[in-house]
Structures are given as C-alpha cells and as structure tokens.
Amino acid sequence: MNRKKKDSPPAFWIFGAHPIEELLNHRDAQILELVYSRGNPRLERLAETARRRNIPVRLEDRHALNALLGTTHHQGVAARTEQFAYASLDDFLKAGPASIDPIVILDGIQDPQNLGSILRSACFLGARGVIVPRDRSARVTGTVIKVAAGATAYLPVVQVTNLVRTMERLKALGIWIVGLDLETDRSLYEVDFRLPSALVVGNEQKGLRPLVRKGCDLLARIPALGPLQSLNAGNAAAVALSEIQRQRDPRQIRPSSPVPRK
C-alpha cells in the first residue's frame, strides 16, 4: 500500500539581513529554516541566534541562494517561514478605536515596492495597522517584507474581501475615514487628525476607486509646491502619516525659534 506523502510546508522566503534579524527577534515568528552563506560576521550571528531557537540552519554558497530565491538581492541570508499570516479583521477591531488608531487603508496598491515602503513608513510613523483588499492588490511576499525592513513583525496587516464594507465598520467605531485625492480642494493640513482616523491611499495610477472615494468622510490632497503635481503612493502615505503624528504631538504644534547664529 502506498502511503500518501505528507504535504511539506509552503516555501515562503524572507531575505535580507535586517528583515531576518527582526524576524528572529520576534518570538512568535514561525521560522522553518534559515539558509545563509559564510563569510559575513553578521550572518554568522544570525545563524547562531537561529540555532539557539532550535531553528534548522543550512549553509549554502551565494549561487545556490540565487537559484533558491530567484534573486541576487538577498544579502546572503534567507529564512523559510509559514505563509504570511494576515491579521483577522474581527480580532483587529476587537481592540477598540484607541488601540487601532491611526489606520492605513490601501485601495489597490499593486507595486510590491510601494507596499513594502508604505508598511515601513506606517510602522515608523506610528500606524497601528494596515488594511488591504484581497483582490487587485499586491500581496505580502518576501520582496515586500525585505523592503518593509522588518515592519511586518510588528504591524498587523489585515486582508479583507470588501474594502467599502470594512470602512463602514470603522465608521461605526467612531473612526474618521480620510482619503488622499488629487482632485479635492481641501489641503491635508486643514484636516483635524486629532480624531481617530484611517488614511486611505489609492492605486498608483488610478487613485481611489469611485465607491471607496464615496465612502470616505473627507478627501484631502497634499499641496504641490513644485512643478510635479503628485507623489508616488509610498511617499504620499509617509507625508500624510507624518502630518497625523505632528498634530498629535503637542511638542510639534509650535515650531521652536531658530537658534541665533554666532
């Protein structure tokens, strides 16, 4: 009788020294294997950390890593993990408005580099979570995690089926939905972000979809001061998140006087 082979865990690779260092420091991360190339003291330290956590460690040369990962941009180290675990919307909302504010909502970001950049900015600038649609959106991959520089180890990423319905649930919790939009007259700097807020960033080319745009409480634009009229999605999200935190930090409301020159 032929025995049915047990399915092997999915090959979901994270690569890059910093993302893997953050992953190893996150005790709940389910790492199945670490693969690295010899010759770099930092990578040797990562391998030793993995061994202390009883994670299987494998030594390969860089050519083998290139073939394994399909890229040369791995910095000589990679970790195989369970498939990326998106956070549950119900669990995320259960914490209450004060614990999930501010939120970033991404409406159809399709470039993995942009997604990774937004996750990194969101984590750095104090966002409590990022919500993405299941369809017409980049997924969290090893490339995204590398660009995010370890942010996914700390920042919940929630994947939802219906973005507009999710926005309605956020409104019911008292969270104001602010969409970034080039066509509105309202400046980002006119919006009161001291209220619980969710920031909606649209697709790189088309911006917000009509139903998502209609579902926002407010629309705001980042004023252009130079000849270019728009920013890419990653930069726009970082500017808006920075303004949210500026308004919420009383130390940043009034600029200090310049120090007199000697």
Side-chain angles (χ1 to χ4, degrees):
M1 181 183 296
N2 293 329
R3 292 183 179 177
K4 185 179 179 180
K5 291 184 178 179
K6 185 178 179 181
D7 291 336
S8 59
F12 184 77
W13 291 97
I14 297 170
F15 42 89
H18 184 67
I20 289 178
E21 184 174 26
E22 295 289 353
L23 193 68
L24 287 169
N25 290 334
H26 196 269
R27 302 303 301 179
D28 294 333
Q30 299 298 312
I31 305 173
L32 304 174
E33 177 185 23
L34 185 134
V35 183
Y36 79 109
S37 58
R38 183 171 288 157
N40 185 316
R42 185 181 185 187
L43 303 189
E44 295 289 352
R45 290 194 297 270
L46 292 177
E48 184 56 35
T49 300
R51 292 187 185 99
R52 287 199 302 268
R53 287 189 53 186
N54 296 318
I55 296 168
V57 175
R58 177 157 52 101
L59 187 65
E60 295 281 4
D61 62 32
R62 280 188 169 267
H63 295 295
L65 274 175
N66 295 346
L68 179 68
L69 303 172
T71 179
T72 59
H73 302 293
H74 46 67
Q75 298 179 317
V77 63
R80 183 164 62 92
T81 72
E82 301 285 1
Q83 284 286 355
F84 182 78
Y86 291 94
S88 158
L89 178 63
D90 289 338
D91 290 343
F92 179 65
L93 298 183
K94 199 179 296 180
S99 298
I100 62 175
D101 164 53
I103 303 164
V104 178
I105 300 173
L106 303 181
D107 180 25
I109 296 296
Q110 296 182 335
D111 184 342
Q113 298 285 332
N114 267 339
L115 177 56
S117 174
I118 292 171
L119 292 177
R120 182 173 185 172
S121 296
C123 187
F124 178 79
L125 290 166
R128 302 295 186 87
V130 174
I131 297 175
V132 298
R134 187 181 304 277
D135 300 320
R136 296 181 296 277
S137 174
R139 296 182 178 273
V140 179
T141 63
T143 297
V144 170
I145 290 172
K146 185 176 188 299
V147 175
T152 52
Y154 304 98
L155 186 71
V157 182
V158 182
Q159 189 182 64
V160 299
T161 303
N162 190 311
L163 209 56
V164 174
R165 195 174 301 153
T166 299
M167 291 163 61
E168 292 300 324
R169 292 185 65 179
L170 293 174
K171 290 181 186 180
L173 290 175
I175 294 172
W176 287 81
I177 313 293
V178 180
L180 292 182
D181 187 85
L182 291 174
E183 305 302 322
T184 184
D185 293 330
R186 182 185 289 109
S187 166
L188 175 76
Y189 307 115
E190 297 171 0
V191 179
D192 186 353
F193 283 112
R194 292 171 296 178
L195 301 171
S197 306
L199 180 72
V200 190
V201 182
N203 174 268
E204 294 91 345
Q205 304 300 325
K206 300 178 181 178
L208 302 176
R209 288 176 294 161
L211 285 178
V212 172
R213 192 177 191 274
K214 185 177 179 180
C216 294
D217 293 303
L218 299 171
L219 296 172
R221 62 179 175 82
I222 298 173
L225 302 178
L228 295 180
Q229 295 303 302
S230 65
L231 294 169
N232 70 32
N235 289 337
V239 169
L241 284 167
S242 181
E243 172 60 12
I244 291 174
Q245 298 306 344
R246 185 194 71 83
Q247 290 190 21
R248 294 179 180 194
D249 185 348
R251 296 170 299 178
Q252 302 299 327
I253 295 300
R254 293 183 180 178
S256 59
S257 299
V259 177
R261 289 182 179 149
K262 293 181 180 181

